[in-house]
């Protein structure tokens, strides 16, 4: 009777239960099945879930005949959440290229959701690079200023815990805890070397001497430093040194002071023998002699510094007088220099209008002066245009006042905030779309990432169609055309193929078309703090290639930005259809370590050594295994490998852009706010 009321029934081949026909698939499990379905709908879904639980490399198939199920089949039999889980597992097993290390990895090596809770973009940085990013930021910033490697979104405590290595997170957690404790206004850390103790000093500034309960060192509550013996807090704030304080006393006052000190010691019950008194007087005399010698040395060094500065200023004046002449405009004191073009010169006034140089200069400034000011340029921190190099370059182009700047993006509105003063051109990177975007442009400056470098072939063809006059290929690093460098880093050949394609299009189009490729070496002021030159500043560790004495050329972002302006203006003809070599300076790892020690005052560094050939072999093994960072390590090995194209002279010097001092740049990096 029950069977009659419930309609036709069948037994499931898997669970062996007798169920209504409606509990079975109406036609088939998958379109390739050639049999009547004998497994209930619930068991089909259980088969899908079981396959997902075991390994997605197993094909999800019909539980009866083993025919593979399509996405539509899986969706048809999946309950709530099962199909979403299937899609997620598919993404985890897809091949994805990391935008940082350019390695192709499985999707499971990437975040399964946003890098931070406030990120609105898809994560394209692998977990290993995110962990490295966190470690580097802890070396260069305070613990509370960590951010997403792809956008400015701040990383919270759970974000860091999710991606950082155990060692890095322990360090981060300790820094966070220290700051939490230090919120108490009466809390002070002990400033003594190698002491990590701290305590609450309830007396505050009324009794400023704090004695450490751990090491016994005395420190100043007000100035948070070791106690300034012989000086009050007020004298320290007024810049009084112990030696200057002593110099203000007359001999009689000093004798009275010493007598008072001896009397006080006697009152406190301290007895001194004649020998002890003589020893103390001898120590005081020695101390006074040392102070006098130090004062004499400081005076000599000050005089020498002033003399060098005067000599440098006179040399600069002689150089300016030799290469320039006084502006003929009435009442104008500016000196001018012709670098290219006809004899007519136009100055731009403060109100934005142009005035003829021969009639009246007004109060305008020449383009050369604008370029000099670019060395002081600080990019807008809210601007994300173009990544690490793109942001300062776009800001420099805008600040120069010489260009109308447009930025190419794949979507409208663009997902990234661009600087004020630029126009946005949207392209899907097809040839027709790129040609339309390049229309009306005199020059195209390519800052495309290394992983997408071959896209420039289509960009070159589009530039020719659009009548672009100059295409600057995305090099901005090693000397990729050097055959010895190519033997170490095989991917350099991709960049060379782009340049070779640009050579075949020289002189074509309405431009006519020409190209430049800029070789800079490592970006020093970015590579050094990130550890890409072998130095971990926070940990005081260095990895030398060989003896550390191989010279290599390197350029700062400031010099790169300034040189780009020159390349597109006064040096346009000189840089046509050729590689251009820039360098802020040529240095060695030994020289860098010496300056790091002197600038920081910390001489206790651990130095490890590796041969570049050995480092290259290890990096190549990582590349072949698909491990993170392999390509980056190959480039580092090539940079420090003698004879592999890591050193050259900078053409920017010939353009009037002076070399920078290694010591000054390192000092700027070490004193940069973190």
């Amino acid at each position: 009777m029950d069977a009659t009321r419930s309609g036709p029934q069948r037994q499931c081949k898997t669970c062996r239960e007798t169920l209504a026909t409606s509990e079975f698939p109406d036609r088939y499990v998958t379109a390739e099945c050639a049999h009547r379905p004998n497994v209930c709908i619930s068991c089909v879904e259980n088969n899908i879930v079981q396959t997902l639980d075991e390994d997605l490399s197993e094909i999800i198939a019909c539980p009866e005949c083993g025919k593979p199920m399509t996405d539509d089949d899986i969706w048809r039999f999946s309950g709530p959440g099962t199909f979403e889980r299937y899609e997620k597992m598919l993404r985890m097993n897809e091949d994805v290229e990391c935008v940082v290390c350019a390695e192709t990895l499985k999707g499971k090596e990437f975040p399964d959701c946003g890098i931070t809770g406030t990120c609105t973009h898809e994560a394209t940085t692998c977990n290993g690079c995110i962990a490295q990013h966190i470690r580097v930021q802890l070396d260069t910033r305070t613990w509370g200023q960590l951010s997403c490697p792809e956008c400015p979104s701040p990383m919270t405590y759970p974000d860091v815990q999710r991606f950082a290595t155990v060692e890095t997170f322990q360090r981060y957690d300790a820094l966070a805890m220290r700051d939490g404790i230090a919120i108490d206004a009466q809390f002070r850390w002990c400033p003594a070397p190698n002491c990590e103790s701290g305590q609450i000093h309830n007396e505050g500034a009324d009794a400023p001497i704090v004695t450490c309960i751990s090491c016994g060192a005395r420190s100043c509550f007000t100035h948070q430093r070791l106690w300034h013996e012989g000086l009050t807090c007020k004298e320290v704030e007024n810049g009084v040194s112990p030696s200057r304080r002593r110099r203000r006393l007359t001999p009689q006052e000093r004798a009275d002071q010493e007598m008072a000190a001896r009397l006080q010691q006697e009152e406190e019950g301290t007895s001194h023998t004649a020998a002890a008194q003589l020893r103390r007087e001898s120590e005081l005399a020695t101390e006074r002699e040392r102070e006098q010698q130090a004062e004499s040395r400081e005076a000599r060094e000050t005089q020498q510094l002033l003399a060098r500065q005067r000599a440098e200023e006179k040399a600069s004046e002689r150089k300016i007088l030799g290469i320039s002449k006084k502006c003929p405009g009435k009442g104008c004191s500016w000196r001018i220099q012709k670098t290219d073009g006809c004899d007519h010169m136009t100055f731009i006034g403060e109100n934005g209008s142009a005035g003829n140089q021969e009639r009246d200069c007004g109060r305008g400034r020449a383009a050369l002066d604008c370029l000099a000011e670019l060395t002081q340029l600080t990019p807008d921190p809210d601007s994300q245009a173009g990544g690490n190099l793109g942001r300062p370059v776009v800001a420099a182009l805008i600040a120069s006042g010489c260009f109308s700047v447009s930025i190419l993006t794949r979507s409208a509105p663009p997902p990234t905030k661009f600087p004020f003063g630029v126009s946005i051109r949207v392209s899907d990177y097809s040839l027709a779309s790129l040609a339309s975007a390049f229309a009306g442009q005199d020059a195209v400056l390519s800052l495309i990432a290394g992983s997408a470098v071959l896209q420039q072939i289509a960009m070159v063809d589009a530039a020719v169609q659009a009548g672009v006059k100059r295409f600057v290929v995305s090099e901005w690093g090693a000397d990729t055309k050097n055959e010895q460098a190519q033997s170490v880093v095989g991917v350099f050949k991709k960049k060379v193929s782009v340049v070779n394609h640009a050579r075949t299009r020289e002189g074509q189009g309405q431009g006519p078309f020409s190209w430049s490729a800029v070789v800079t070496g490592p970006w020093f002021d970015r590579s050094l703090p990130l550890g890409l030159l072998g130095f971990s500043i926070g940990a005081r560790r260095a990895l030398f290639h060989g003896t550390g004495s191989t010279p290599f050329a390197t350029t700062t972002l400031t010099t790169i930005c300034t040189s780009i302006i020159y390349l597109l203006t006064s040096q346009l003809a000189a840089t046509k259809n050729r590689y251009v070599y820039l360098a802020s300076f040529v240095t060695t790892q030994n020289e860098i370590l010496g300056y790091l020690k002197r600038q920081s005052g910390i001489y206790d560094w651990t130095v490890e050594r590796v041969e570049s050939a050995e480092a290259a072999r290890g990096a190549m093994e990582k590349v072949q295994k698909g491990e993170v960072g392999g390509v980056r390590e190959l480039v580092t090995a090539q940079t420090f490998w003698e004879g592999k194209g890591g050193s050259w002279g900078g053409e920017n010097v010939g353009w009037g852009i002076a070399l920078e001092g290694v010591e000054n740049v390192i000092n700027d990096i070490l004193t940069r706010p973190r």
Side-chain angles (χ1 to χ4, degrees), residues 323-325 336-345:
I323 64 174
S324 65
K325 67 178 183 178
I336 59 176
Q337 176 189 11
K338 174 185 173 183
T339 59
D340 197 7
C342 67
D343 292 334
H344 178 81
M345 297 183 69

Side-chain angles (χ1 to χ4, degrees), residues 339-369:
T339 59
D340 197 7
C342 67
D343 292 334
H344 178 81
M345 297 183 69
T346 301
F347 276 46
I348 304 300
E350 289 186 340
N351 60 0
S353 60
N356 190 298
Q357 167 66 28
E358 298 176 352
R359 294 199 303 269
D360 187 10
C361 292
R363 296 171 60 195
R365 293 192 178 187
L368 180 60
D369 189 47

Side-chain angles (χ1 to χ4, degrees), residues 444-446 456 470-474 476 515-518 567-568:
V444 173
L445 185 66
S446 176
Q456 293 179 106
R470 177 63 54 87
F471 187 99
V472 183
V473 182
S474 182
W476 317 111
W515 62 272
S516 299
V518 183
L567 184 150
L568 295 176

